[in-house]
Amino acid sequence: MSREWAIPDSAAEHVDPAALYRLMAWLSPAFPIGAFSYSSGIEWAVEAGDIKDATSLERWIAVMIGEGSGWCDAIFLAHAHRAAKMNDTAALKDVAELAAAFAPSKERFLETTAQGRAFLDTAKAAWSSPQLDTLALPSPLALPIAVGAVCAAHGVPIAPALNGFLHAMSANLISAGVRLVPLGQTDGQRVLAALEKVVAQTVSAAMTASLDDLGSAAFRADLASMHHERQYTRLFRS
């Protein structure tokens, strides 16, 4: 699949300070959606020996962000944001159903839908929005759909929402790796710094991607999430 990495002009949209404050709050590790309890299959990858140090963790997450679940979630978020901004409930329902169906395993489905519902409920409780109330978001609700809809309702443009979402995803996966390998905190930050380029490239491509561009080439990561269901000793829910 050919992608254009040039960042579109819309990526430079001004972000209102209040919207930026909310985005930082929603995608903070302190936001109570239970993200810390999921590893997206990294726990099995560590046990299997696929991930054994900072370099292998970086490579694993780079594939997930650029060619796997991160890529798909970025597209879902962008399309959910546009549908919510236009108050197009039918389009939002369609992309939400597609996002839920794209989960490659039972645990990954639980991971995205449990966090998606918690994200929406918590955001609505702390930052009320009449627009969100009229959207009637469906259930099950994948996390990128919830983030896209909430960001649109509060005036957070797509580009910063995507950057924040993929940064949060990367940081959470790194946190799992740091605990499981284990790695030092500085190694974790080196991995996060190394992922900056792939996150920027994924955001750029997702900004102009259609739903026809959906697809994952992170087969080992998807298999890891399936194997994790039968893993004997587990610290994480996925």
Side-chain angles (χ1 to χ4, degrees):
M1 177 169 53
S2 175
R3 299 178 187 166
E4 172 57 54
W5 296 125
I7 298 176
D9 292 340
S10 56
E13 290 178 274
H14 172 72
V15 185
D16 178 76
L20 179 60
Y21 181 92
R22 295 171 186 179
L23 179 65
M24 293 170 67
W26 299 331
L27 298 177
S28 162
F31 200 65
I33 61 173
F36 66 91
S37 62
Y38 299 98
S39 82
S40 296
I42 283 180
E43 185 167 20
W44 181 86
V46 171
E47 181 174 299
D50 289 32
I51 298 175
K52 55 185 180 296
D53 53 25
T55 299
S56 51
L57 177 63
E58 176 197 328
R59 290 172 179 168
W60 184 277
I61 298 175
V63 172
M64 289 187 68
I65 297 295
E67 302 291 344
S69 57
W71 164 243
C72 294
D73 282 356
I75 296 176
F76 288 133
L77 191 158
H79 282 262
H81 188 289
R82 293 186 184 105
K85 188 174 182 179
M86 298 297 294
N87 205 31
D88 189 339
T89 301
L92 187 58
K93 178 176 180 291
D94 288 344
V95 73
E97 291 178 349
L98 185 58
F102 250 68
S105 68
K106 178 181 178 180
E107 289 188 348
R108 289 284 292 280
F109 177 82
L110 170 66
E111 179 178 330
T112 191
T113 57
Q115 291 185 80
R117 182 50 57 181
F119 183 94
L120 178 65
D121 290 346
T122 306
K124 289 175 70 174
W127 286 273
S128 60
S129 167
Q131 182 181 353
L132 275 178
D133 294 335
T134 63
L135 283 174
L137 287 161
S139 185
L141 183 67
L143 180 59
I145 303 300
V147 174
V150 169
C151 285
H154 286 276
V156 180
I158 294 177
L162 284 171
N163 274 289
F165 178 81
L166 291 180
H167 174 275
M169 174 185 286
S170 301
N172 192 65
L173 296 176
I174 290 168
S175 176
V178 165
R179 284 175 278 171
L180 290 164
V181 172
L183 298 172
Q185 295 295 330
T186 301
D187 277 337
Q189 290 304 303
R190 290 191 182 106
V191 174
L192 188 60
L195 292 171
E196 183 177 336
K197 182 177 180 180
V198 72
V199 167
Q201 291 173 337
T202 303
V203 169
S204 176
M207 290 283 292
T208 56
S210 72
L211 294 177
D212 290 337
D213 293 315
L214 286 164
S216 172
F219 301 118
R220 186 71 172 170
D222 293 342
L223 289 172
S225 70
M226 299 175 192
H227 286 304
H228 187 267
E229 296 176 14
R230 301 183 298 278
Q231 196 167 336
Y232 180 71
T233 302
R234 302 191 300 176
L235 297 176
F236 295 84
R237 300 183 70 187
S238 69

